[in-house]
Amino acid sequence: AMDMLSQYNSQVFIEVKDKVTLKDLEVLQRTFPNPKGKVIVISFNPSVLHGIKSHRKTVPYLNDVKLLLVIRDAKDAKDAKDANIYGLDGLDANSISRKQVRRLNKQGMLVGVYTKNDKRSIKKSLRKGVDFVTTNEYQLCHKIVQKY
């Protein structure tokens, strides 16, 4: 899947659920050799992201990879503050409005939606002004984003 994603000129959000190994990081680096502004690793688990962050001293490539803690169903500034406690910021916008997305963006948060796999829900999310859409249907999503 990462080889398929690497052909698109867009940001790539890679969700991690478990501890990432050095071998995993080598695959990431080989697939996306120039990650700055393009590769963002997301997780609902702060300890997974801190594990990746701890490799930045020995794997300089990671300094150009953004790490986002995704807080499911974030609704307000308190949720955004909770994300910042970890030094990682990203929120799931499934249950918030366009106005709330803009307010969180002003606070420096990236706001996105989690696993939108059909045309209708992807478009609805984009109308909210989200920064990212995670999907299993990346070709469909890419096509919609290009037209949006």
Side-chain angles (χ1 to χ4, degrees), residues 57-76:
K57 290 179 183 175
T58 56
V59 184
Y61 169 84
L62 292 174
N63 293 317
D64 291 330
V65 173
K66 186 158 182 118
L67 303 176
L68 294 177
L69 175 64
V70 180
I71 298 175
R72 188 179 298 274
D73 297 327
K75 293 177 181 61
D76 55 28

